[in-house]
Amino acid sequence: MVRHFLKDDDITPVEQAEILRRALQLKQAPYSVRPFEGPKTVALIFDKTSTRTRVSFAVGVSDLGGAPLIIDSQSSQMGAKESIADTARVLGRQVAQIVWRTYAQTGLEEMANYAGVPVINSLSDSYHPCQILADLLTVQEHKGQLAGLKLAYVGDASNNMANSYLIGGATAGMHVAVAGPAGYLPDPGIVTRAELIAAKTGGSIEIHGEPHAAIQNADVVVTDTWVSMGQESDKEQRLRDFAGYTIDSALMAQAKPDAIFMHCLPAYRGYEVSAEVLDGPQSVIWDEAENRLHAQKALMAWLAEQA
Ligand code: CP
Ligand code: NVA
């Protein structure tokens, strides 16, 4: 059966651990696995801008023996001119996998329904599951474990990163605490899903209305931009609403002394995080950015085997 990775709980806890184990192997031996030998082509479609995702998927497909085909949707027939279902049917006949950064999660679901090849969500308005795989790999490298650790996410707790930390972190057995101002808290449906997963993995979920309680005793502190792609017109309002949510040294000091700081990037110094923390000794953001490559290679290789 063709498997897809559209959201963090499209894989089980055992499968997530397996993908992370392989990611570590691929980090040590980058050219040891060649599922796209041929070369087979992987379509990388972008409806939104990207640096890390574009580079890490393109390099990753090449490393796995394949050829990356980057498609900017503005310069293709996708959207108004041709339906997602028809696009999926065309691509599925020619490429080995489809990686898509887009807006609505429903679009990804439609692509997966018609493509006949694995579809990977490389960021939607709802989730950023590839980023969470990279983040989990980074935590594992720096802390030696995932299950039982406390991960605190402070900021826009209603966005794609928060959703993916809740679901993906629970899948890894972590204690995920998120904090956001009123109006920027996770959808109750996401919280329930994360709680159900956590009940099986030994993790837990906490939702807070202010940053201190969430960050208390955390092993891992994370944040993300207050203005996600597609929300630019709300920027001024958002900057007002998130006052007091900047992760600075004083807030970071409430986490464990050996806590690490992560950010999916791009980061806006002085807004969601101070320069002192982002560029400071607890920050592991460059390892995290590099790990996009290794985690996604492991994911693509694993999906190639399931198909
Ligand atoms: N973190 C992340 O997805 O970065 P890009 O938007 O640069 O791809
Ligand atoms: N929440 C951000 C993540 C960017 C990688 C966005 O969707 O723009």
Side-chain angles (χ1 to χ4, degrees), residues 188-228:
I190 296 278
V191 177
T192 305
R193 245 166 73 208
E195 283 171 344
L196 285 171
I197 296 167
K200 290 187 197 141
T201 60
S204 66
I205 302 299
E206 288 174 29
I207 311 295
H208 297 279
E210 55 87 29
H212 298 269
I215 220 165
Q216 205 70 45
N217 239 10
D219 300 282
V220 182
V221 177
V222 287
T223 188
D224 182 22
T225 180
W226 295 337
V227 187
S228 285

Side-chain angles (χ1 to χ4, degrees), residues 48-49 52-53 101 122-125 127-128 131 153 156 159-162 224-232 263-266 268 292:
K48 294 175 177 172
T49 52
R52 273 145 293 272
T53 304
R101 167 166 286 197
S122 59
L123 183 147
S124 67
D125 290 343
Y127 306 100
H128 197 359
Q131 180 72 52
Y153 173 93
D156 182 358
N159 77 4
N160 43 14
M161 284 299 298
D224 182 22
T225 180
W226 295 337
V227 187
S228 285
M229 290 179 272
Q231 300 172 338
E232 290 79 2
H263 188 311
C264 64
L265 306 177
Y268 301 88
R292 292 293 302 280

